[in-house]
Amino acid sequence: MTRLDVERRRLTTSESVTRVGSTMVFSTPKTHRTRSVPVPPALMPALLGMCQGKERDDLLFPAAMGGPIILNNWRRRVFDPACVAAGLVGVTPHDLRHTAASLAVRGGANVKAIQQMLGHASAAMTLDIYAGLFPDDLDAVALSLDLHVPQMCHNEPFGLIEGGAVDE
């Protein structure tokens, strides 16, 4: 079950569904924790449109014929044709999860927030998977620290330590 919190711009998932034989079984997400996913402001009008005429307990993302989405059917009927139309080859729905996490890391999001968004058990797990994606991060750290150099030098000119050298 996914709900839209309009004020906070969050999608909150507190229940998942799994097909067991011919029965749909509702339970908690795999980590047994509610997941909260931030929604970019530009997507809110589309989500609000999807909510029109729905009751609080209606599915926000139902299958074409109603009821919960069955991943394999949705993938074959909706996702894969959309990828073909967009010229994307070999993309999976799970790849979009990695893309969202990678963009969040790149955007400077707090790793605890990304952990919560993905439903990871620990921030260490999130870092193990995503921290190495951006090799230029050390350059960004240097630029960030550079903003504080005047304060660290207490208004003294920055000079070399006697006998030190600078690589160029």
Side-chain angles (χ1 to χ4, degrees):
M1 177 69 64
T2 299
R3 289 203 165 88
L4 176 62
D5 180 337
V6 175
E7 288 181 23
R8 293 180 57 224
R9 291 190 328 267
R10 301 279 190 276
L11 287 172
T12 302
T13 299
S14 58
E15 197 173 32
S16 65
V17 64
T18 305
R19 187 177 194 167
V20 179
S22 61
T23 305
M24 301 304 279
V25 178
F26 288 83
S27 62
T28 60
K30 69 179 179 180
T31 60
H32 306 292
R33 293 186 184 127
T34 297
R35 293 189 189 165
S36 185
V37 178
V39 177
L43 295 180
M44 285 302 293
L47 286 173
L48 289 170
M50 293 172 64
C51 292
Q52 294 297 316
K54 292 190 181 210
E55 299 294 324
R56 179 173 169 78
D57 289 334
D58 289 348
L59 294 172
L60 183 56
F61 304 107
M65 303 296 284
I69 291 173
I70 298 169
L71 181 59
N72 289 338
N73 290 344
W74 174 80
R75 196 165 165 193
R76 184 174 26 77
R77 293 178 183 161
V78 178
F79 186 81
D80 290 344
C83 287
V84 168
L88 303 173
V89 178
V91 176
T92 68
H94 199 76
D95 291 336
L96 299 181
R97 172 184 165 89
H98 288 299
T99 299
S102 300
L103 291 172
V105 169
R106 186 63 170 167
N110 179 295
V111 87
K112 292 295 284 183
I114 298 170
Q115 170 201 348
Q116 181 182 4
M117 178 179 82
L118 298 174
H120 285 164
S122 71
M125 179 181 187
T126 305
L127 285 169
D128 286 344
I129 295 170
Y130 297 105
L133 290 176
F134 304 103
D136 295 336
D137 279 349
L138 286 177
D139 295 334
V141 170
L143 292 174
S144 176
L145 291 173
D146 192 55
L147 297 173
H148 302 285
V149 168
Q151 295 150 344
M152 292 185 293
C153 294
H154 304 285
N155 297 322
E156 294 293 324
F158 187 81
L160 295 176
I161 296 173
E162 199 169 313
V166 175
D167 289 335
E168 296 202 39

